[in-house]
Structure formats: C-alpha cells, structure tokens
C-alpha cells in the first residue's frame, strides 16, 4: 500500500471517536485471527488483552500516529499557502484502511457483512465508554460524597437503551446529549414510539444548530431584561417540597404592547431559550444536589387574575404559540405540574375551550383554581419558599422583591461550585449491570445511589 495514500485516507476520515474505536477493535480482531491461524497449536486461544501489548501492534499504532502528525503539518502548510483538498471518503476507503488494503473491491454481501460488524463494534465501543464512567463513579465513593437517588423503571431503561443504540447508528447522539434522562423525556413526549422519538430528536439537533443554542451564552446578551420583567413579571423562586424549582408568571400583569416596545418577539424568544438552557445547566443540577435526587422538571404557577378573552391580543397569541412550540419540540416533559390561580369566569370559559385540544396527559398536570388557592399551594410548597403575594411568607425585600430575586439552591455558592465541577451528573447503568447488582425491586424499578465526589 502506498504510504502517501494511507496518510491521505487517514487525514480525511471524518468519523467520530466511537467509529474510530470500532475500527481499532476490528483491526485488533483481524490481527488476532492472523496470529491464531499462524500458531503451531490449532486450538490455541488468542488473549486480546495480551495482544494489546504486542510490539507489532504498538509499532503499527506509533507509525500511524507519526503519519497523521506529518500529514497534518503538511496540510496546515498547504492551507497557509491557500491550498487544500476536501473530498468524501467512501465505505471502500474506510474498509480499505481498516483491513490494510487499498482500492478494496468487495461484493455487496461482503460490504454489508463488514459494515454490520463495524456497527456492532461501534455499539460495543460505546457501551465500554459508557461503562467506564460507572467504574469511575464507584471509585469516587471512597471520599466524602453526596448521594443522588436516581430511580429507573426497568421498562423505561430498556426503551432508553433501544433509542440510544438507534441514535448511535444514525450518528444522532452528540456526547453532550448522551443522557439517560434527556432521552427518557423525549420518549415520553412521543409515547415511547422509537421512530417518532428519533424524528423529534433529529429535529431538535437541527434546531439547536440553526438557532445557535449551543453558543447562546456567548452570542446573546439581553440588556433589556429589567424593563421586560416590568411588563412581563416572571421568574423562578424557590423550590417545592420535592425539591423541584418553582416557576411563576403573573399573566394578569402582562402588557404585551409595552413589552414589544422594549424588545422584539425574536429577542424575547432568544431570552427564553437562554434561560431554559441556564435551567438545565445550573438550576436543575443545583436542585438535584440540594434534594439528593435527580431533578429535571419544575412546578409552575400562573397567576391569571384579570385575564379574559380580550387579554389575548394577536401579539399575545403569537408569542404564547411560539413559546409553547419551542418548549414542546426542544425541551419536552419538563413540566411536573401547573397551578393556574385566580381563574375567573372569563378564563375558565377560555380554558374549557382550549383543553379539549390538549393531550389528556398534559391536562392532568394542570390544576385550575379560583381565588382560594393558598391551602393547595402550601400542600406543595413550604411557606418560606412561596412569595407573600401567593400566600407564603417570603418577600425578598433586600433583593427587589420575589420576582427579581431568582431565589433557589442555585444561588448557594457551595452548591454552584459542585455544579461547575460536574458533581450533579448521575452514573448511567445498563440493565444487565443493574440486574447483576440486584437492584431491581419487585415492582420493576431500579434504585441506584450515585456517589458524587465533593
């Protein structure tokens, strides 16, 4: 094989870490087979762990790394001169590199068989990668730790595993989103239909790319925040008795006309997305650490005092519709329950016409209350966590009021430091590991206590 051809092929292979791991495993298997065939003893088994220390394999790996480095330097020099070569790598190129031959010519049947082996190897490599985190998590339990209780239903665990494998095979699972609970939320949003969930997931990834969601903290500054809160009072304040963050909107005080005089609808949507990202990056993790269990849903209170049909202007309807679509398509199943308070006859009439269009599962989470709502809220939220204007005792007087304080565990410096260190993340276990460790209970739930190093 021409060395320059090999280097060119290697430099253009745009496969991810998992496929690279699969290629190495596949090559290792081929070398093992060659050694087995050349062995004087027909029945001699090849120890793959021993093979990893094989000088021949180490030399091959070192040569490849050196070739890659040299080629990268060469390409960088060409780029500086205004040159460059870009082309697609075919399956034949990839298989040729894996099997050690150039211009490989394989039959359709051989191609399918080989690619099937590579996909299996990719899944195997992915599982090894995932399991390595479990082992690391266990080692961390030897130091001071916070245990986060994470309950997995056995059937849900199976469904998430099936979705995960499907996403890996179609290259739809960036490392950032390789999260059990995120995949479970998307599955629930599509009633555990894998194909529909996969489409929702794919659309979400495309939306994030087009919207610029992954760089929104660096790219977008909402300078008009103070004025916006004045015309659209809303924000997080405290947690409920289960540790979930409480989100409050005073819809009756919204002035859509003035709101759109200090900002635009597009900018408000961007602000909304930025705050949702902050909730997932900081608020939910902080609540998980404080409650010592996984939290990825919120309790919402909508104060609709004075809201009637005339309140829903064209601008208000458009804003609500866009917000609901953004949330439903890209952050599904984040609402645990909602209390609509101070609902008068006008709003109740509006609600009765709207709820017929909603999923029964969604309407079951929504409780419409009149003006005697305080006792119901206090069943769910401690009075110290509830603003005084909602029947609680909190005023946040030293922070400009409850709607401006952003009160919650995420304001605790120690908890925030733990979040920044990634100590809120749960160790993911496969179903086989859970069964082996005998953590599946009679009601088919898996209870795993996850040690997180301080």
């Amino acid at each position: 094989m021409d060395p320059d051809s090999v280097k060119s092929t290697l430099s253009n292979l745009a496969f991810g870490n998992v496929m690279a791991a699969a290629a190495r495993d596949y090559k290792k298997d081929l070398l093992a087979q060659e050694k087995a065939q050349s062995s004087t003893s027909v029945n001699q088994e090849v120890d793959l762990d021993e093979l990893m220390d094989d000088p021949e394999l180490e030399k091959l790996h070192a040569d490849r790394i050196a070739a890659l480095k040299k080629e990268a330097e060469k390409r960088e020099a060409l780029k500086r001169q205004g040159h460059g070569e870009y082309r697609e790598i075919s399956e034949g190129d990839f298989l040729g590199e894996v099997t050690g031959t150039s211009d490989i010519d394989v039959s359709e049947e051989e191609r399918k068989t080989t690619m099937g082996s590579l996909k299996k190897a990719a899944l195997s490599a992915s599982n090894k990668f995932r399991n390595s985190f479990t082992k690391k998590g266990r080692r961390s339990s030897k130091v001071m730790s916070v245990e986060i209780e994470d309950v997995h239903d056995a059937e849900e665990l199976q469904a998430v595993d099936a979705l995960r494998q499907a996403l890996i095979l179609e290259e739809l699972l960036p490392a950032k989103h390789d999260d059990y609970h995120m995949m479970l939320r998307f599955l629930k949003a599509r009633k555990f239909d894998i194909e529909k969930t996969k489409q929702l997931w794919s659309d979400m990834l495309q939306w994030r790319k087009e919207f610029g969601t992954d760089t929104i903290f660096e790219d977008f500054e909402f300078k008009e925040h103070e004025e916006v809160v004045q015309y659209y009072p809303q924000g997080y304040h405290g947690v409920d008795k289960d540790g979930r963050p409480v989100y409050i909107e005073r819809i009756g005080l919204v002035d859509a006309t003035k709101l759109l005089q200090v900002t635009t609808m597009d900018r408000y949507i961007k602000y909304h997305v930025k705050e949702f990202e902050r909730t997932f990056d900081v608020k939910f993790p902080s609540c998980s650490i404080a409650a010592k269990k996984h939290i990825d849903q919120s309790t919402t209170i909508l104060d609709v005092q004075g809201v009637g049909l005339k309140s829903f202007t064209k601008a208000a309807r458009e804003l609500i519709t866009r917000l609901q679509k953004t949330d439903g398509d890209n952050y599904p199943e984040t609402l645990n329950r909602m209390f609509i308070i101070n609902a008068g006859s006008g709003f109740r009439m509006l609600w009765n016409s709207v709820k017929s269009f909603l999923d029964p599962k969604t309407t079951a989470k929504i409780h419409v209350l009149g003006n005697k709502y305080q006792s119901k809220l206090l069943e769910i939220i401690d009075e110290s966590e509830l603003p005084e204007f909602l029947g609680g005792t909190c005023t946040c007087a030293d922070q400009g009021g409850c709607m401006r304080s952003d009160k919650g565990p995420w304001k605790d410096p120690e908890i925030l430091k733990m979040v920044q260190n990634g100590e809120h993340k749960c160790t993911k276990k496969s179903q086989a590991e859970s069964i082996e460790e005998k953590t599946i209970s009679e009601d088919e739930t898996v209870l795993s206590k996850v040690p997180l190093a301080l």
Side-chain angles (χ1 to χ4, degrees), residues 55 94 248 277 310 316 327 369 419 440:
F94 179 58
I248 302 169
E277 289 293 303
K310 64 179 181 179
D327 296 352
L369 308 173
V419 171
I440 293 185

Side-chain angles (χ1 to χ4, degrees), residues 63-86:
D63 289 344
R64 289 287 169 80
I65 295 299
L68 279 170
K69 185 176 179 181
K70 187 175 180 181
E71 180 65 18
E73 292 172 350
K74 180 181 176 182
R75 287 174 63 81
E76 189 61 32
L78 286 172
K79 280 184 182 179
R80 286 197 294 268
Q81 298 171 19
H83 301 288
E85 179 187 359
Y86 303 91

Side-chain angles (χ1 to χ4, degrees), residues 111-384:
R111 185 189 71 79
K112 289 181 178 178
T113 300
T114 308
M115 287 308 292
S117 299
L118 286 173
K119 286 182 177 180
K120 287 180 181 178
L123 289 174
S124 175
S126 173
N127 288 331
K128 288 177 183 176
F129 181 71
R130 177 180 58 177
N131 293 341
S132 71
F133 282 104
T134 303
K135 293 175 183 176
K136 289 177 183 177
R138 289 172 186 162
R139 284 197 294 271
S140 69
S141 64
K142 294 179 182 179
V143 296
M144 288 182 62
S145 64
V146 170
E147 289 187 348
I148 291 186
E149 187 179 89
D150 198 11
V151 180
H152 293 182
D153 177 85
E155 290 184 2
E156 291 177 349
L157 198 64
Q158 251 184 343
V160 169
D161 191 52
L163 174 63
R164 186 172 185 275
Q165 293 187 37
L167 294 175
I168 289 173
L169 288 179
E170 296 194 23
E171 299 182 2
L172 291 173
L173 191 59
K176 177 180 180 179
H177 302 310
D178 188 0
D179 178 80
Y180 170 86
H181 292 284
M182 182 175 180
M183 286 183 272
L184 179 60
R185 287 190 295 101
F186 274 73
L187 279 166
K188 287 180 176 179
R190 290 297 177 266
K191 299 179 180 178
F192 290 87
D193 184 307
I194 295 292
E195 288 304 313
K196 290 181 179 179
T197 303
K198 201 163 58 176
Q199 185 60 54
L200 181 65
W201 184 278
S202 177
D203 291 343
M204 175 271 295
L205 292 180
Q206 185 62 31
W207 169 80
R208 292 184 72 89
K209 181 179 179 181
E210 294 173 353
F211 197 83
T213 309
D214 292 326
T215 58
I216 199 165
F217 288 105
E218 296 80 15
D219 300 341
F220 179 70
E221 184 179 0
F222 198 60
K223 296 180 179 179
E224 59 268 40
H225 177 264
E226 285 300 314
E227 291 177 289
V228 164
V229 173
Q230 181 180 348
Y231 300 124
Y232 189 165
Q234 43 81 25
Y236 283 93
H237 183 278
V239 296
D240 64 19
K241 291 181 180 180
D242 290 320
R244 300 183 187 91
V246 177
Y247 178 73
I248 302 169
E249 286 194 5
R250 306 189 75 178
I251 302 294
L253 299 179
V254 172
D255 188 329
T257 302
K258 289 185 178 179
L259 176 67
L260 295 178
Q261 288 175 354
V262 298
T263 190
T264 66
M265 197 168 296
D266 286 341
R267 282 185 61 79
Y268 187 83
I269 297 294
K270 270 192 174 291
Y271 159 71
H272 178 78
V273 169
K274 185 175 182 178
E275 289 306 304
F276 228 131
E277 289 293 303
R278 196 190 312 277
T279 298
F280 272 97
D281 289 351
V282 180
K283 288 184 169 66
F284 284 153
S286 297
C287 289
S288 296
I289 290 172
K292 297 183 180 180
K293 62 182 178 181
H294 180 78
I295 301 288
D296 65 356
Q297 291 185 318
S298 61
T299 290
T300 295
I301 300 173
L302 296 186
D303 185 351
V304 296
Q305 186 169 21
V307 174
L309 290 173
K310 64 179 181 179
S311 303
F312 287 87
T313 62
K314 182 181 178 181
R317 288 196 302 272
E318 183 182 351
L319 179 60
I320 291 172
T321 300
R322 288 183 64 180
L323 290 174
Q324 287 180 336
K325 179 169 177 54
T326 298
D327 296 352
D329 290 351
N330 305 292
Y331 307 97
E333 295 293 318
T334 54
L335 175 67
N336 178 260
R337 56 195 160 199
M338 177 187 290
F339 296 98
I340 300 177
I341 63 172
N342 287 318
S345 57
F347 181 86
R348 287 178 183 275
M349 185 182 301
L350 181 65
W351 170 247
N352 288 332
S353 62
V354 168
K355 72 177 182 181
S356 59
F357 297 101
L358 300 177
D359 188 307
K361 188 178 177 182
T362 300
T363 58
K365 297 179 179 181
I366 301 174
H367 308 275
V368 180
L369 308 173
N371 56 13
K372 296 180 180 180
Y373 56 82
Q374 290 86 353
S375 60
K376 184 64 178 178
L377 292 185
L378 289 171
E379 288 178 13
I380 307 301
I381 306 167
D382 283 330
E383 62 178 11
S384 61

